[in-house]
Amino acid sequence: MRATAAAASVPVADAAEPTSIRAGRRLARHRSMLIGGAILLIIVAIGVLAPVLGTVDPAQIDPTARNKRPGAEATVRRDDGTKVTVKSWMGTDSLGRDIYSRVLYGARVSLIVGVTVALVSAAAGLVIGVTAGYLRWLDGIVMRVMDGLMSIPAILLAIGLVSLSRAGLRSVILAIVIPEVPRVVRLVRAVVLSIREEPYVEAATALGARTPMLILRHVLPNTIAPLVVQATFGCASAILIEAVLSFLGVGIPPETPTWGNIMAEGRALFRLFPHNILFPGVFLAVTVLAVNMLGDGLRDMLDPRTRKQL
């Protein structure tokens, strides 16, 4: 009897436990999500504090300090005209620019592109997906357009879109958003099609609930969880595509420090000076890995089927 009473008291204690504590326990058990989030916070801090952490101006050219090895000292000229000797932690490129400072400032561009693409594509995909999933007469037209966009590889479509406009941050973001929207639309549409057949939605419709109220009360809340997860993966994909566009010379102008531009400028002398590509490549890989780890953790926490196992 005592054992039975003790066993029965465990669920009661769990049920009485605050939601924030239970969520904290689930979060603590998912170490990959914590590691990814911590790394991502460090990358964000690096981008925000780039003017403080950087040693010199990332755009400063010094022909006397060309292709310095990592850890070598270089004499640079400050804005006031004075010359100082600083240690180049990651070496210099073929124009004498400090790679360390350029990598720090490059984090800003990658994060801006990734976050902006994730937010814009999620917002546009949500509106189009809900409209296509709830209005059957419009579903066929919208999805054929989305299928046509998805039939073209994202990087090729982005290159084609960028080539139609002037190279710049806005054109690169727009060129990455357009291939990303169809993926969000298909996800949201699938969720909407399954939700609209649920008994509680049919009951609300029978009681005379209007379509806007049904969408706000029942449809949108159920699309938030998969939409957040898809946004994280879209952010990682956008960071990679931006780096590829810059590496190919069709993205952000070369004078702007981005990880793709740094690697593009160092590929000619890669065998002699591999540090020109190594350091920005490591930062790019770590950032994409951190975003993907964060997305995997969010998917496991927000999915009811896997949430019980955490």
Side-chain angles (χ1 to χ4, degrees), residues 43 90 103 259 263 277-289:
I43 298 297
M90 298 182 183
V103 167
W259 292 337
M263 291 188 287
I277 292 182
L278 176 63
F279 292 110
V282 169
F283 269 78
L284 176 63
V286 170
T287 302
V288 173
L289 177 62

Side-chain angles (χ1 to χ4, degrees), residues 203-223:
T205 305
L207 293 174
R210 296 182 178 180
T211 300
M213 186 59 64
L214 288 175
I215 294 176
L216 291 176
R217 276 194 169 186
H218 303 294
V219 176
L220 289 181
N222 288 281
T223 60

Side-chain angles (χ1 to χ4, degrees), residues 55-57 60-69 71-79 81-89 91-92 95-98:
T55 54
V56 296
D57 184 0
Q60 180 177 343
I61 298 176
D62 186 3
T64 63
R66 297 172 55 189
N67 295 319
K68 293 285 187 179
R69 301 287 183 180
E73 292 184 349
T75 302
V76 298
R77 184 186 299 273
R78 295 194 178 276
D79 296 336
T82 59
K83 292 184 178 181
V84 294
T85 301
V86 297
K87 179 171 289 189
S88 182
W89 299 105
T92 59
L95 297 178
R97 294 173 297 189
D98 185 48

Side-chain angles (χ1 to χ4, degrees), residues 249-267:
V250 296
I252 297 175
E255 62 271 12
T256 303
T258 67
W259 292 337
N261 283 337
I262 300 172
M263 291 188 287
E265 293 161 0
R267 61 184 173 183

